[in-house]
Structure formats: C-alpha cells, structure tokens
Amino acid sequence: MQFIYTNGENPDFIELCRGLDDFLNELVGGEENRAEYVPYNRLSDIHDAIIAYDGEIPVGCAAFKKYDDEFAEVKRVFIKQEFRGKGISRELMKRLENAAKEQGFRCLILESGEPLVAAMSLYRKIGYEVIPNYGQYKDMPDSVCMKKEF
C-alpha cells in the first residue's frame, strides 16, 4: 500500500470523493436527503489530502481543512468497498493526524453520523470523543461531531 499527499484538485481524490458521495446517497436514500451537507464538502476548500493506493489503483482517501488556528476538520474519509476491513482507514487517519500536527494544529474535529457504523466505530477506537455539534452542524440533529486532541 502506498500513500500520497495531495490536495482537493487531484483527479484520483476527486474520483474517490464521487464514490463517497454515491455511498452516502445510497445510505440515506438520495442526495436530496443530505443536501444540507453538500456545501460543506467542496473539494476546492481542501488543501491537505492523502490517497491510499494498491499498486496503481486509488483505494481510499482522507483529508482535512483548517477550521480555525487550533483546529483542523477531517473531511472526505472513504475506502472503496472491496478494500474495507484491511486497516487502510486507520492508517489514513494516523497519517492525517500527523500531517495536522506538523502544521501546528492541536486538535482534529469531524462530523459523522450513526448510520456510518464502520466510520463511527473507527473514530471511537482511535480516540475520538463525541462533542456538542459545532459550527454549521449545530442545528443538524442527525450529525454526530467528534474531536481528538493531540
């Protein structure tokens, strides 16, 4: 498995994010049921992304963007179905945390939801704790916000 550091303009990252959007749309019954979240996932806002490759094949991604001077927000974590359960997401998150630390952030925050069972399980296992919903997610009852301090 190889990991490359890139940004939101990388074609492989864009394609993986399309896969994530398709997965989320299927999970919630269509994009119209998650329309309020779409504006907060613009790839043009992402300057730090990591892609996992199995040989030449992009199989997963994770990214973060600056939230404020101390916090970075995890975005667009996704592993293709056939590559799940192999520890790739855990490795992506470890690398993402290290990259955020190197840039001087003291904490990562994220928004997820209970229907994302595997993601929620991973985040809890690697030390993320549920916090009150922040920012744009404050009034979204289906959101679960989490954080991990370094």
Side-chain angles (χ1 to χ4, degrees):
M1 197 68 50
Q2 288 181 295
F3 297 88
I4 66 144
Y5 294 76
T6 186
N7 61 39
E9 296 175 3
N10 180 291
D12 289 338
F13 181 69
I14 292 168
E15 188 60 33
L16 287 163
C17 288
R18 283 191 191 116
L20 172 59
D21 289 336
D22 290 345
F23 170 74
L24 293 171
N25 289 341
E26 189 175 309
L27 189 66
V28 302
E31 187 170 346
E32 63 276 2
N33 292 327
R34 60 182 201 86
E36 62 189 327
Y37 295 92
V38 173
Y40 307 117
N41 291 308
R42 290 192 313 260
L43 300 186
S44 59
D45 294 338
I46 295 176
H47 306 292
D48 296 278
I50 304 170
I51 302 173
Y53 287 87
D54 182 15
E56 305 270 325
I57 302 167
V59 300
C61 62
F64 70 84
K65 68 178 187 178
K66 180 179 179 174
Y67 184 78
D68 63 24
D69 288 340
E70 295 184 348
F71 292 65
E73 183 179 21
V74 176
K75 305 299 289 182
R76 313 310 285 167
V77 179
F78 178 69
I79 306 297
K80 287 182 177 177
Q81 178 73 36
E82 61 270 27
F83 293 92
R84 294 180 188 161
K86 299 178 184 228
I88 299 168
S89 57
R90 183 182 291 263
E91 182 64 26
L92 281 167
M93 289 301 294
K94 182 176 93 175
R95 290 170 181 262
L96 203 67
E97 290 168 4
N98 289 337
K101 281 186 232 181
E102 286 174 11
Q103 291 188 32
F105 294 106
R106 70 169 192 84
C107 186
L108 277 175
I109 56 175
L110 62 85
E111 182 276 336
S112 190
E114 293 302 338
L116 296 164
V117 175
M120 293 294 292
S121 175
L122 170 71
Y123 298 142
R124 287 181 174 110
K125 283 179 188 171
I126 62 174
Y128 285 77
E129 298 177 355
V130 174
I131 59 171
N133 287 3
Y134 60 86
Q136 64 267 25
Y137 306 111
K138 214 172 220 168
D139 297 321
M140 295 183 183
D142 292 332
S143 290
V144 176
C145 292
M146 304 177 91
K147 80 172 182 176
K148 181 177 181 179
E149 294 186 33
F150 307 134

